Amino acid sequence: MTMRVHLHALGCRLNEAELEAWSRNFQRQGHQISADPRQADLLVVNTCAVTDEAVRKSRKLLRRTHRENPQAKLVVSGCYTSLEPDAASDNLGVDLLVPNRDKDRLVEIASRELDLPSMPLLATEPGENPLLARGRQRAFIKVQDGCRYRCTFCIVTKARGDERSRPMAEVDEQVNRLYVEGIHEVVLTGVHIGGYGSDSGSNLYRLIRAVLDDTDMPRIRIGSVEPWDLPDNFWELFANSRFQPHLHLPLQSGSDKVLRRMARRCKVAEYARLVTDARRQVRDFNITTDIIVGFPGETDTDWQNTLDYIERIGF
């Protein structure tokens, strides 16, 4: 009665982190994770809606998945299905749709609604993390979901809802378990990771400090973080060499006029000072970013300002 489960994620690192959590929970129920969707009894897809192209890819993946294995049950979640549940279910072979607000309970909901067999007594703790079997050396850990900000270009905040933070002890426990299973690098990720603890009286600094103090994970990174969210004492965390000297700081535009229309909370001069501080205080610091090209109302001058700014920063 063991079921073969195939999981697939589109989009962000957070979707990957959720997929890894589902994989572990299905295994705890006694099920096997299958790399081949055509051989699976249950198909689980985590969709994306960050762009129109992501929506198109999500719909295409659902159609193909159902066409290649019509006998399997198809469970879908993610931003596309949360924003357009009727469209997601229409002629795509979906047996169960789990909205974002319930996706942390996806395995529980699927087991109940689809009457899946459960044999936890037969499930054994794997000696090696399944990520390693897939050729992956880095694990993504979801520490937070939702966002309080409303940048005018972003649909994800609508799809993900209010901010919710995982307890630090729970994050520590997962990091330690991954290390025992052979994983040597983790990325702490979320929709608005800089807002970690906004609902629990904590913050991102305390979370990273706890992971550094309470675990032996050799390499620790964080996902994309908004530049205005970094606390004053943030740079001292990099004194511990296990916290890798890299940040992904979304810029989006090198024009303050465009940034205002985007409802961004950081001007180009403030961003430049932040980069200067990082490189002065942390040796060999690496900064990457996002740029939106052709934002509505952007002029040739705005775009040239962005190109010049990118050259000055030296991402």
Side-chain angles (χ1 to χ4, degrees):
M1 293 297 293
T2 297
M3 296 193 69
R4 294 164 296 182
V5 183
H6 175 79
L7 303 105
H8 193 115
L10 290 169
C12 64
R13 291 175 172 181
L14 186 57
N15 273 6
E16 286 285 344
E18 290 162 345
L19 209 71
E20 291 169 15
W22 297 341
S23 174
R24 182 178 297 277
N25 288 338
F26 275 120
Q27 287 177 309
R28 286 174 175 168
Q29 293 292 322
H31 305 306
Q32 298 177 354
I33 304 303
S34 171
D36 187 350
R38 293 166 297 184
Q39 300 298 320
D41 306 300
L42 179 68
L43 305 164
V44 182
V45 178
N46 207 3
T47 62
C48 181
V50 68
T51 63
D52 286 343
E53 179 67 8
V55 169
R56 187 190 69 79
K57 287 183 177 180
S58 293
R59 290 184 61 84
K60 182 179 179 181
L61 175 62
L62 293 177
R63 286 196 188 95
R64 187 181 74 237
T65 300
H66 176 62
R67 183 177 65 250
E68 292 179 347
N69 190 351
Q71 303 305 316
K73 297 290 186 181
L74 178 56
V75 178
V76 298
S77 190
C79 290
Y80 167 59
T81 52
S82 291
L83 290 168
E84 301 184 39
D86 294 336
S89 300
D90 185 28
N91 298 320
L92 296 179
V94 175
D95 293 287
L96 178 64
L97 191 153
V98 180
N100 274 344
R101 67 176 180 273
D102 296 326
K103 68 192 317 185
D104 288 345
R105 298 169 45 242
L106 181 140
V107 176
E108 171 195 338
I109 294 171
S111 298
R112 181 182 69 243
E113 296 298 322
L114 300 179
D115 195 25
L116 303 181
S118 177
M119 296 175 291
L121 293 179
L122 300 180
T124 60
E125 284 294 322
E128 179 181 82
N129 190 280
L131 283 172
L132 297 175
R134 290 159 50 196
R136 293 271 299 279
Q137 304 294 322
R138 176 186 295 172
F140 299 114
I141 296 180
K142 178 180 176 179
V143 302
Q144 182 273 345
D145 206 343
C147 182
R148 79 189 80 157
Y149 299 122
R150 296 295 182 266
C151 297
T152 58
F153 56 79
C154 185
I155 193 68
V156 174
T157 54
K158 181 179 179 181
R160 288 280 183 169
D162 296 333
E163 294 183 354
R164 304 172 301 283
S165 305
R166 288 181 68 189
M168 284 190 289
E170 190 175 299
V171 175
D172 285 346
E173 189 275 333
Q174 184 176 357
V175 173
N176 280 319
R177 185 173 66 240
L178 287 167
Y179 181 53
V180 169
E181 293 172 355
I183 296 294
H184 284 185
E185 181 168 321
V186 295
V187 182
L188 309 180
T189 188
V191 173
H192 174 216
I193 192 172
Y196 178 86
S198 64
D199 55 338
S200 62
S202 188
N203 57 47
L204 181 60
Y205 176 92
R206 292 175 60 187
L207 171 66
I208 297 170
R209 174 59 67 194
V211 174
L212 289 170
D213 291 345
D214 300 337
T215 80
D216 293 319
M217 183 61 64
R219 294 188 297 277
I220 300 161
R221 300 179 186 270
I222 62 172
S224 178
V225 59
E226 298 294 358
W228 58 79
D229 279 327
L230 298 178
D232 293 336
N233 55 351
F234 185 74
W235 307 118
E236 69 182 44
L237 291 168
F238 293 96
N240 189 319
S241 62
R242 292 160 55 219
F243 190 30
Q244 301 302 291
H246 166 252
L247 284 180
H248 188 85
L249 297 172
L251 172 65
Q252 310 301 3
S253 175
S255 165
D256 281 337
K257 289 191 299 181
V258 176
L259 290 174
R260 282 195 297 272
R261 289 198 297 275
M262 291 178 172
R264 300 289 287 169
R265 302 166 64 88
C266 184
K267 295 182 178 180
V268 293
E270 296 166 342
Y271 189 102
R273 285 196 295 271
L274 183 65
V275 171
T276 298
D277 286 345
R279 289 173 171 162
R280 185 179 67 247
Q281 298 188 53
V282 184
R283 183 180 178 183
D284 297 326
F285 201 76
N286 186 313
I287 293 177
T288 54
T289 197
D290 298 321
I291 301 291
I292 293 178
V293 181
F295 188 79
E298 182 182 73
T299 66
D300 289 343
T301 300
D302 293 328
W303 178 236
Q304 188 59 52
N305 288 340
T306 296
L307 293 178
D308 294 342
Y309 190 81
I310 290 171
E311 285 227 13
R312 290 200 305 274
I313 293 295
F315 292 103

